[in-house]
Amino acid sequence: MTKDKQLTKLIRLTGERARLEAKANGTYVVYKDDYGKLVREYSNGEKEYVSGKDS
């Protein structure tokens, strides 16, 4: 497995773990979508766009 594939896999697993932690603790995760906008995703699947200086 190349380093690029290893890094991609690690990033994916980290995101999955964050979602599990958010669900267990009743919180949310924040990430940038494919368009560069900040998204707050709740454990029930609801997504909310966050306005901020980075978005």
Side-chain angles (χ1 to χ4, degrees):
M1 188 179 288
T2 66
K3 288 190 179 206
D4 187 43
K5 287 183 181 180
Q6 288 176 337
L7 182 59
T8 302
K9 182 179 178 180
L10 182 62
I11 291 169
R12 181 179 48 80
L13 291 173
T14 303
E16 290 174 5
R17 177 65 186 205
R19 283 186 175 89
L20 286 173
E21 291 285 331
K23 187 174 185 178
N25 294 309
T27 60
Y28 53 85
V29 293
V30 178
Y31 60 89
K32 281 194 175 184
D33 66 3
D34 294 337
Y35 302 106
K37 294 187 177 186
L38 289 175
V39 178
R40 183 181 294 151
E41 184 176 334
Y42 295 91
S43 57
N44 64 3
E46 178 184 344
K47 293 181 182 181
E48 172 185 351
Y49 286 98
V50 180
S51 62
K53 68 179 187 175
D54 289 340
S55 58

